């Protein structure tokens, strides 16, 4: 079972903080983790951040604060050998999970990556659709095929967009309760905190609405408070 589920069950807010912008200095990132790790369920680091600061710097933060959860958002989309090598390199610094695209397919692609994740004890999350409008041009047209890939793969969870709750509902009804659904698009991209959870997600991924605040704790607590309010008003329990 994923450590992430344990963190949610321990009462942390159903938020993963996305850290992408290199303008967030390493010391601010460290401050973010230190101050919010008991408030939110984890942190997702994007490629611009990982590439800007490098794995050694990121390792130093992860090592200092092990009692939370870190996802490397590499959005892997390659042949199995290359995705596996990338994952081995990146996860050496202590990431708990990686994200790969579902359209890659199983054979010679995600199957091999999943084996390596299992060996390393790293959780795998599969993108099923995306939060931007262009997702409706291709991803959403083949979503059932992507979901059948997910069923064949049995990852820890999937990514589905908060900006289109009907897609989250589709993903949840197809996959049932077996997989975690992580949902980006809350805050800066327009979706209200709580709306993705109401549609069936387990966690909402929130970046700029928290990371651009001077007060990380206050911003995180406000998102969590808004989530609870949304769930109450919409009667989503
Ligand atoms: P903001 O600042 O917009 O950050 O709250 C959102 C974060 O989520 C990521 N993102 C996605 N990741 N599928 C994904 O796997 C998506 O559809 C998607 N949309 C946004 C984005 O990279 C950022 O880290």
């Amino acid at each position: 079972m994923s450590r992430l589920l344990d963190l949610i069950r321990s009462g942390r807010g159903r938020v993963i903080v996305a850290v992408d912008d290199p303008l967030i200095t390493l010391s601010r990132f460290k401050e973010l983790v230190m101050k919010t790790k008991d408030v939110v369920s984890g942190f997702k680091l994007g490629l611009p951040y990982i590439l800007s600061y490098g794995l050694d710097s990121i390792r130093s933060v992860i090592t200092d604060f092990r009692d939370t959860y870190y996802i490397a958002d590499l959005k892997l989309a390659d042949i199995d050998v290359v995705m596996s090598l990338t994952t081995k390199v990146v996860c050496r610094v202590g990431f708990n999970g990686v994200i790969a695209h579902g359209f890659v397919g199983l054979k010679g692609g995600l199957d091999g990556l999943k084996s390596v994740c299992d060996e390393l004890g790293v959780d795998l999350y599969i993108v099923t659709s995306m939060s931007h409008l262009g997702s409706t041009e291709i991803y959403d047209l083949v979503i059932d095929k992507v979901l059948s890939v997910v069923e064949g793969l049995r990852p820890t969870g999937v990514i589905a967009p908060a900006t289109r709750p009907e897609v989250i509902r589709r993903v949840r009804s197809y996959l049932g309760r077996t997989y975690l659904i992580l949902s980006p698009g809350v805050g800066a991209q327009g979706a209200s905190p709580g709306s993705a959870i109401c549609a069936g997600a387990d966690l909402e991924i929130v970046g700029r609405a928290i990371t651009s605040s001077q007060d990380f704790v206050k911003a995180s607590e406000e998102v969590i408070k808004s989530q609870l309010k949304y769930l109450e008003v919409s009667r989503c329990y």
Side-chain angles (χ1 to χ4, degrees):
M1 194 214 297
S2 170
R3 236 172 76 68
L4 186 54
L5 207 52
D6 288 339
L7 290 168
I8 304 169
R9 286 179 180 159
S10 75
R12 286 172 170 84
R14 289 163 75 176
V15 172
I16 299 273
V17 184
V19 181
D20 292 297
D21 191 341
L23 287 176
I24 305 162
T25 62
L26 203 63
S27 63
R28 281 286 280 165
F29 170 48
K30 199 167 180 168
E31 182 190 340
L32 169 73
V33 176
M34 184 174 62
K35 291 187 169 166
T36 66
K37 68 183 173 52
D38 298 323
V39 178
V40 301
S41 291
F43 303 88
K44 179 180 82 66
L45 272 64
L47 264 182
Y49 207 78
I50 296 173
L51 292 175
S52 296
Y53 288 99
L55 291 174
D56 286 339
S57 306
I58 288 164
R59 183 206 315 264
S60 71
V61 179
I62 294 181
T63 310
D64 280 352
F65 304 104
R66 277 270 31 133
D67 54 339
T68 180
Y69 190 87
Y70 301 92
I71 298 173
D73 187 358
L74 306 169
K75 299 230 175 47
L76 296 164
D78 211 319
I79 56 170
D80 52 3
V81 178
V82 177
M83 292 195 289
S84 301
L85 284 172
T86 311
T87 300
K88 281 181 184 168
V89 170
V90 168
C91 288
R92 243 179 249 146
V93 309
F95 280 103
N96 306 98
V98 290
I99 297 178
H101 273 293
F103 63 72
V104 173
L106 294 173
K107 291 181 197 157
L110 294 170
D111 265 350
L113 173 62
K114 175 68 162 49
S115 302
V116 166
C117 285
D118 288 347
E119 271 166 39
L120 297 172
V122 165
D123 293 335
L124 176 59
Y125 298 90
I126 299 298
V127 177
T128 62
S129 167
M130 295 189 72
S131 57
H132 67 304
L133 261 185
S135 185
T136 60
E137 295 165 18
I138 295 181
Y139 239 134
D140 292 9
L141 303 180
V142 292
I143 192 160
D144 281 358
K145 284 196 163 66
V146 175
L147 291 171
S148 74
V149 165
V150 169
E151 279 199 311
L153 190 65
R154 306 189 68 75
T156 299
V158 299
I159 313 289
T163 46
R164 290 197 308 293
E166 70 280 7
V167 175
I168 301 176
R169 282 192 280 273
R170 172 89 198 97
V171 170
R172 183 56 86 200
S173 96
Y174 190 105
L175 295 177
R177 301 295 319 173
T178 314
Y179 306 97
L180 289 172
I181 298 180
L182 278 48
S183 196
V186 169
Q189 290 178 73
S192 302
S195 59
I197 293 173
C198 195
D202 296 284
L203 287 153
E204 296 182 339
I205 294 172
V206 183
R208 289 161 287 178
I210 292 175
T211 57
S212 63
S213 168
Q214 278 310 304
D215 187 336
F216 295 137
V217 176
K218 189 166 168 231
S220 306
E221 286 175 347
E222 270 167 13
V223 169
I224 293 164
K225 215 187 291 169
S226 303
Q227 283 179 330
L228 296 174
K229 183 94 200 260
Y230 189 102
L231 297 179
E232 192 189 326
V233 169
S234 310
R235 297 177 185 275
C236 299
Y237 302 106

